[in-house]
Amino acid sequence: MLKMLSKTSDIYIFPKGKLGVKIANILDFRIKGFIDNYKQDVFRLKDIDNKNALIIIASISYMYEIRAQLKQEGFNNIVCFHQLIKQFPELKTFNSSFNGLEEDYINHKQKYEKLYKLFSDKKSLQVLNSVIEYRKTFDINLFVKIAEPSGKQYFENFMPRVDVFVDCGAYDGDSILSYINFNPNYKMIYCFEPDCISFEKAKSSLKKYSNI
């Protein structure tokens, strides 16, 4: 990865946040600048003429959205910060979920193989293979290939339409509304939400539905 970065003259980090600044400080070669959709005194994508410039995505929550934006604007030389972790492990501090991922697969390879044998459908095997490869490489392109559209999250076509649905962490009722659309013939829905404000919003948005 370092070899790839050092051979590229135009390197930008998108966006300019704590993670972006951390990456800029870690890399021991010149970063041409930061790109951001909102902050001042930085580049906007429209300012970058070189479509072959290397863009480092310095975001966890909006990684896929930024990647899609870059692709739409014609940038294909993209590196996500996950791919820098192997060379710069201090970046793991920005998300503890990366700690031990590769080691877990290496140390429990037989358990993964046993899990693999439990699945019979093609989709599940494809997902598990992608998860394993991600734990080895941190390549998010593996997830892009298996991800369902965000609007279908939790309620893909292969999911059963059960009579009783339980939402543990219902937020404002958004997932429950999606489930009702997915299975209008449900018999009972139970939802739990510890945040009082979100709970009241959920009650308001779901009040016209029965058996909740």
Side-chain angles (χ1 to χ4, degrees):
M1 180 59 66
L2 184 57
K3 186 176 180 181
M4 173 187 175
L5 293 170
S6 61
K7 286 186 175 181
T8 307
S9 58
D10 287 358
I11 302 175
Y12 298 88
I13 297 176
F14 185 177
K16 184 182 181 181
K18 290 182 179 180
L19 178 55
V21 172
K22 178 73 172 179
I23 291 173
N25 290 334
I26 287 175
L27 300 182
D28 57 354
F29 40 82
R30 185 174 180 80
I31 302 295
K32 198 153 190 179
F34 290 97
I35 301 171
D36 204 294
N37 291 327
Y38 305 105
K39 286 186 171 61
Q40 302 300 316
D41 302 321
V42 295
F43 290 101
R44 298 287 190 262
L45 274 183
K46 62 182 178 60
D47 301 325
I48 313 300
D49 295 324
N50 180 12
K51 297 296 183 180
N52 293 316
L54 180 66
I55 313 294
I56 299 174
I57 298 179
S59 174
I60 298 171
S61 301
Y62 299 101
M63 176 174 56
Y64 293 103
E65 289 84 351
I66 292 173
R67 182 180 181 276
Q69 182 184 358
L70 290 169
K71 291 279 187 181
Q72 186 176 1
E73 295 296 328
F75 295 92
N76 291 297
N77 198 9
I78 302 168
V79 172
C80 291
F81 91 97
H82 304 61
Q83 296 167 274
L84 299 174
I85 287 176
K86 287 184 177 291
Q87 191 132 10
F88 306 103
E90 54 266 49
L91 290 174
K92 288 183 180 180
T93 59
F94 280 86
N95 193 320
S96 61
S97 65
F98 297 110
N99 294 332
L101 281 184
E102 185 177 13
E103 295 81 359
D104 181 71
Y105 173 71
I106 293 171
N107 295 332
H108 303 98
K109 191 174 181 180
Q110 289 184 336
K111 291 185 177 180
Y112 279 90
E113 291 174 351
K114 184 177 180 180
L115 176 62
Y116 189 89
K117 293 176 182 178
L118 295 177
F119 296 121
S120 58
D121 65 288
K122 185 178 179 180
K123 177 71 174 181
S124 295
L125 294 173
Q126 182 187 15
V127 169
L128 182 58
N129 275 329
S130 296
V131 169
I132 290 173
E133 287 304 310
Y134 174 77
R135 292 191 171 209
K136 296 177 184 176
T137 64
F138 291 148
D139 181 3
I140 70 158
N141 293 310
L142 293 162
F143 283 159
V144 173
K145 293 177 182 178
I146 62 173
E148 296 285 347
S150 58
K152 286 188 175 182
Q153 187 182 28
Y154 306 133
F155 309 120
E156 294 90 343
N157 292 331
F158 62 83
M159 292 293 293
R161 286 164 170 77
V162 296
D163 291 337
V164 179
F165 177 70
V166 181
D167 190 348
C168 299
Y171 184 47
D172 61 0
D174 55 344
S175 295
I176 294 173
L177 289 171
S178 296
Y179 185 74
I180 292 172
N181 183 61
F182 175 73
N183 180 25
N185 298 317
Y186 71 91
K187 291 184 178 178
M188 193 70 199
I189 293 176
Y190 296 93
C191 62
F192 298 84
E193 175 50 54
D195 178 70
C196 295
I197 296 176
S198 297
F199 180 71
E200 291 302 322
K201 288 181 179 179
K203 285 203 300 183
S204 177
S205 65
L206 299 170
K207 63 183 178 182
K208 69 177 182 180
Y209 300 98
S210 59
N211 299 325
I212 299 179

